Amino acid sequence: MRDCENIRESIGSWLDGELSAAESESVRSHLASCTDCGEAQRRLERMHLALKAALTSQAPQIEFTSFWRGVERRINEKRTWYEDLLDGSRRLFTAPRVAWMVPAVIGLLLVLISMDFVPFRGSRNSFASVESIDAYGRSVALLRQPETRTTVIWLYQDQEGENETAEDPAKSAPTF
Amino acid sequence: MRLLKTLRNRLRLFSLILVLVAGWVGAAEKNPQSVQVRIRTILAGSKSDEFDPKLKDMERQLKPLKYRSYRSLKDDTQSVPWQGTGSFDIPGGRSLTVAPQEFQNNRVSLKVRLTEGAKPELDTTVGIQNKGNFILGGPPHEGGTLVLSISATAQ
């Protein structure tokens, strides 16, 4: 079933001679043995023939002179830089390239994140969080330096012999 | 037709690569084997204006402490397994033990105990950014004050 689906997708390319020798052989042998796919091939061939007949009968009546004049004019005209840029970006974002680029960019981002290069992952110097603290009766001040985002735990002896946790570290810890 | 088939095959290949890369990234994030703990012991004082060049990278963290001199006394690094304990000798007969607790959201939680001889001076549990540090200071030593920089890097 899966084979038939793949082969039917390839019939058009096979008829147009776009497949490699091995692929052509694979399609040809499948078509020889599969009735449904053979029918699909015949339908496509009939459509090709009908199109070819229509084109052959109508082509001599088509006025190509103005068309070729337009082609010649476009070949000879000087292109501006932004037209080149536009064409370049169009080529860059064609489907096959995007198919490669999108996953490649995602992969690159994942690698950068894993290597800690990405700024949004958090600053290395963000404040430490103190979950618990016991200074065994000594006074302790907890300070945060906003400039360097450093957390400082400061142990000190109360000058007046008081035994309390500092509410105002700058006042209670004389060295700050 | 052929183009669509090619695109589909390429997308399949890349999906597979992405799954593998994401798995690798996830594994690196969730399963650090140990923590590299670095303890830098600094003697801060006000008798001179000496600033030890070894502490250049910490200058911005130390200057707000408002001492005049800073001298590096020790710089120890140990690789400590999760739930294990690393012990560091601190000048003045003190000892610092560091026990990594958990690693979550790129932060390392450390249980830290400072003792002077057998007498405990401080018990604390601190969560720091991976590769970050915090400062523990205050104990007097040789006419100055000890300042410890405790940093951790999950490995």
Side-chain angles (χ1 to χ4, degrees):
Chain A
M1 207 58 184
R2 183 85 197 139
D3 262 4
C4 288
E5 198 183 313
N6 288 335
I7 292 293
R8 278 179 212 175
E9 282 178 7
S10 304
I11 291 174
S13 306
W14 179 63
L15 288 173
D16 292 339
E18 291 174 352
L19 299 185
S20 67
E23 288 171 326
S24 291
E25 180 51 30
S26 163
V27 172
R28 196 196 58 72
S29 62
H30 183 91
L31 291 174
S33 61
C34 176
T35 322
D36 289 345
C37 291
E39 181 53 37
Q41 175 207 351
R42 281 185 288 280
R43 267 202 309 274
L44 206 56
E45 278 175 338
R46 280 198 295 275
M47 197 170 75
H48 273 213
L49 283 173
L51 274 172
K52 196 175 173 184
L55 284 172
T56 312
S57 62
Q58 298 296 316
Q61 298 166 30
I62 299 171
E63 176 54 60
F64 277 109
T65 317
S66 60
F67 170 75
W68 286 120
R69 205 175 293 132
V71 171
E72 200 175 353
R73 194 185 65 241
R74 291 206 58 187
I75 290 170
N76 292 330
E77 79 187 358
K78 193 169 163 54
R79 290 167 58 80
T80 57
W81 65 270
Y82 57 84
E83 282 172 328
D84 286 338
L85 186 71
L86 202 67
D87 274 3
S89 29
R90 256 192 223 122
R91 276 197 298 276
L92 189 67
F93 292 105
T94 49
R97 286 176 195 268
V98 172
W100 281 101
M101 272 196 309
V102 170
V105 167
I106 295 170
L108 186 68
L109 282 175
L110 284 171
V111 170
L112 288 177
I113 288 168
S114 78
M115 294 172 82
D116 231 6
F117 284 158
V118 182
F120 60 72
R121 210 169 177 230
S123 163
R124 286 182 185 176
N125 289 325
S126 67
F127 284 123
S129 57
V130 178
E131 291 155 27
S132 69
I133 193 159
D134 181 356
Y136 295 93
R138 300 181 77 186
S139 293
V140 61
L142 184 61
L143 297 111
R144 287 182 164 166
Q145 297 173 1
E147 196 190 332
T148 55
R149 303 187 68 77
T150 304
T151 300
V152 179
I153 297 174
W154 201 262
L155 292 169
Y156 62 97
Q157 298 289 355
D158 285 320
Q159 289 182 337
E160 293 168 15
E162 290 173 358
N163 183 17
E164 60 184 15
T165 300
E167 289 294 322
D168 181 358
K171 200 184 272 184
S172 306
T175 50
F176 282 80
Chain B
M1 284 292 203
R2 201 165 182 211
L3 177 68
L4 283 174
K5 202 173 169 183
T6 313
L7 283 178
R8 206 166 54 192
N9 287 339
R10 284 178 184 178
L11 280 172
R12 277 184 194 145
L13 174 69
F14 264 112
S15 304
L16 180 68
I17 293 170
L18 279 181
V19 167
L20 293 175
V21 171
W24 172 62
V25 170
E29 171 77 15
K30 284 173 191 160
N31 300 316
Q33 300 297 305
S34 61
V35 179
Q36 193 176 61
V37 179
R38 183 182 185 193
I39 308 294
R40 298 170 80 174
T41 309
I42 299 146
L43 182 65
S46 296
K47 287 177 185 165
S48 71
D49 289 321
E50 172 200 3
F51 190 89
D52 195 331
K54 286 182 207 157
L55 302 171
K56 187 75 187 159
D57 60 317
M58 285 189 67
E59 191 170 1
R60 287 180 67 230
Q61 285 187 311
L62 293 172
K63 286 288 179 187
L65 299 179
K66 301 214 166 77
Y67 287 94
R68 284 173 57 202
S69 68
Y70 297 91
R71 183 156 54 91
S72 174
L73 298 181
K74 276 188 91 175
D75 190 342
D76 286 349
T77 302
Q78 284 182 28
S79 186
V80 185
W82 293 101
Q83 310 302 328
T85 303
S87 188
F88 299 83
D89 289 331
I90 306 294
R94 290 184 171 87
S95 171
L96 189 78
T97 56
V98 180
Q101 300 296 291
E102 61 175 359
F103 182 60
Q104 217 170 24
N105 299 325
N106 205 37
R107 288 177 78 84
V108 181
S109 175
L110 301 171
K111 205 172 204 170
V112 177
R113 167 175 266 221
L114 179 68
T115 54
E116 185 180 13
K119 191 177 78 177
E121 287 191 303
L122 178 79
D123 263 323
T124 184
T125 303
V126 179
I128 57 174
Q129 192 81 23
N130 187 27
K131 298 177 186 172
N133 76 330
F134 74 98
I135 302 275
L136 170 59
H141 179 68
E142 291 179 354
T145 303
L146 287 179
V147 176
L148 309 174
S149 162
I150 300 165
S151 56
T153 304
Q155 293 177 313

